[in-house]
Amino acid sequence: MTYDLTQRPQISTTEAHVYSRHTAPSSTRLEAVLAPLLKAPCLTYASGLAALHAAYVYLNPGRVSIGDGYHGSHGVLDIQTKLCGTRILPLQCPASDLQPGDVIHLETPLNPTGEAYNIAEYADKAHSRGAILLVDSTFAPPGLQDPFEWGADIVMHSGTKYLGGHSDMLCGVLATNNKQWLTGLREDRIFLGSVMGSMESWLGVRSLRTLDLRVIRQSENASKLVQWLDFCKHTESEDEEAELVKPVVERIQHASLQHEDMPWLKQQMPNGFGPVFAIWAKEETMARRLPSLLTLFHHATSLGGVESLIEWRSMSDRTVDSRVLRVSVGVEDWEDLKADLKRGFKELLRNPKA
């Protein structure tokens, strides 16, 4: 998928930017460039959580159906519950538990595992009850997934991650084809004050010029690493690489391994299955030590940049299994990344008590 950024967005030159909390040249341009990529008009915010908070302030649902995923999203809903009495329902709740105006909050692919959910299935469930489907598509930016094609009503991105892509900006995005919602969200943003700064907006426009190049490469790298690890984990042949992987890796999770879901998943994500996957180590000590033994993978809690990152997830989210490592794959040569993991596995096995 190629994006032609030589086609200048139609931004009015006659309407003055009077007050930066309302509009500003850089953020307005970023929204204009993002809109055709997201397949809907959009608004930018100071961060992904600021965007999500704005969505819930405006929609003000009585109930939100949500599953596992980014702990920050649950933190936003904790505030919403405290202020408005919002009830939290499980993602797999019966459709009959939903009422008009309620929200199904679907994060796909999921943080930190990279597993994918069927957007169309949840859209049908929501709309059968007059509810709203909000999709957090942070882990599948434009080029990998278009939630609107499968029935999403509003789409959220933490643009800090793949839209920004260089680990140097904060950004949140809400996109919707509902004109009334867009107007209300824009008016709310003035008083919430959660606008992007001009420098971050300029960096966002810069980043979109390489979005397709970055994301497709990152997704391809991740799938190659996942397939290699999965082969090593399950092969019965005597293989030197497998002898490094099997004693360390309990399991791997990524959308590319959802073989039974491929009939719908290949349609929903036709160009790749996302740059993030998870490794379950055999022991917590292995998960804790591995990141410090790697050279190309940096131990950090963010993701989405051109550099590969690995995180012992318990450092930032105590709700996940302490053996989980979240891997965010960058644009490096995948064979170099594979060699880096092999060196780390070898050192773990050579010196298990360090």
Side-chain angles (χ1 to χ4, degrees):
M1 185 175 182
T2 301
Y3 309 119
D4 184 4
L5 293 183
T6 64
Q7 299 298 313
R8 303 298 184 187
Q10 298 301 307
I11 302 174
S12 172
T13 57
T14 58
E15 181 181 349
H17 296 285
V18 176
Y19 199 68
S20 295
R21 195 153 30 84
H22 185 201
T23 64
S26 295
S27 57
T28 301
R29 178 165 181 78
L30 176 59
E31 292 165 359
V33 175
L34 274 170
L37 305 183
L38 297 172
K39 308 296 179 63
C42 66
L43 294 171
T44 55
Y45 294 84
S47 69
L49 289 184
L52 187 63
H53 178 238
Y56 281 119
V57 167
Y58 178 74
L59 297 172
N60 194 21
R63 282 153 291 274
V64 175
S65 170
I66 186 172
D68 294 333
Y70 179 44
H71 63 94
S73 299
H74 289 270
V76 168
L77 284 172
D78 286 345
I79 295 172
Q80 188 75 8
T81 297
K82 180 171 61 176
L83 295 177
C84 305
T86 306
R87 287 182 55 202
I88 306 301
L89 304 175
L91 183 62
Q92 306 301 340
C93 71
S96 58
D97 287 354
L98 299 170
Q99 297 181 18
D102 290 347
V103 168
I104 294 180
H105 179 127
L106 184 65
E107 184 179 318
T108 184
L110 192 68
N111 185 1
T113 62
E115 63 186 297
Y117 289 89
N118 188 336
I119 296 172
E121 177 184 318
Y122 288 92
D124 290 344
K125 177 181 176 181
H127 298 156
S128 72
R129 301 293 295 174
I132 296 161
L133 179 61
L134 182 156
V135 174
D136 181 346
S137 192
T138 296
F139 278 26
L144 294 183
Q145 178 173 273
D146 175 13
F148 290 114
E149 182 178 356
W150 308 104
D153 299 300
I154 185 167
V155 175
M156 173 261 178
H157 283 269
S158 174
T160 306
K161 311 304 191 291
Y162 292 101
L163 298 181
H166 293 80
S167 304
D168 59 3
M169 57 175 279
L170 291 173
C171 170
V173 180
L174 292 177
T176 181
N177 284 301
N178 187 311
K179 294 181 179 179
Q180 180 181 347
W181 290 3
L182 195 73
T183 298
L185 288 164
R186 181 179 288 110
E187 291 174 352
D188 281 358
R189 187 179 61 175
I190 296 172
F191 302 105
L192 291 173
S194 50
V195 295
M196 281 189 75
S198 294
M199 183 63 181
E200 288 78 10
S201 300
W202 181 86
L203 289 170
V205 173
R206 167 219 60 181
S207 296
L208 294 180
R209 296 188 176 103
T210 59
L211 176 65
D212 184 65
L213 296 173
R214 291 184 284 104
V215 169
I216 297 301
R217 171 64 174 252
Q218 289 168 298
S219 186
E220 289 175 349
N221 280 351
S223 290
K224 289 176 180 178
L225 287 171
V226 166
Q227 297 306 317
W228 167 67
L229 288 167
D230 189 59
F231 171 80
C232 290
K233 177 64 184 171
H234 294 102
T235 185
E236 296 181 359
S237 63
E238 294 184 4
D239 182 274
E240 180 183 353
E241 293 181 348
E243 293 306 310
L244 292 175
V245 173
K246 287 182 178 181
V248 176
V249 176
E250 179 68 29
R251 67 184 176 101
I252 313 104
Q253 196 157 8
H254 184 240
S256 66
L257 298 178
Q258 295 175 224
H259 303 300
E260 294 182 357
D261 296 325
M262 284 301 159
W264 61 263
L265 187 50
K266 281 188 175 180
Q267 296 182 60
Q268 184 173 299
M269 302 184 74
N271 300 317
F273 299 108
V276 174
F277 66 93
I279 296 172
W280 271 255
K282 291 278 189 179
E283 301 173 4
E284 178 185 325
T285 54
M286 289 180 169
R288 188 174 67 247
R289 289 186 58 220
L290 181 61
S292 64
L293 300 176
L294 302 177
T295 302
L296 294 180
F297 287 92
H298 300 282
H299 192 191
T301 190
S302 192
L303 55 97
V306 293
E307 66 284 341
S308 291
L309 305 177
I310 188 168
E311 181 196 23
W312 178 44
R313 190 60 182 156
S314 287
M315 287 188 67
S316 57
D317 184 356
R318 297 295 181 183
T319 66
V320 303
D321 191 314
S322 62
R323 298 171 298 154
V324 170
L325 291 156
R326 186 182 67 186
V327 184
S328 169
V329 183
V331 300
E332 304 92 342
D333 187 284
W334 89 272
E335 292 279 6
D336 292 338
L337 297 173
K338 170 183 166 183
D340 197 28
L341 288 173
K342 286 170 58 179
R343 284 192 297 269
F345 295 155
K346 185 178 293 186
E347 179 60 23
L348 272 181
L349 297 176
R350 187 187 70 82
N351 193 8
K353 300 298 183 181

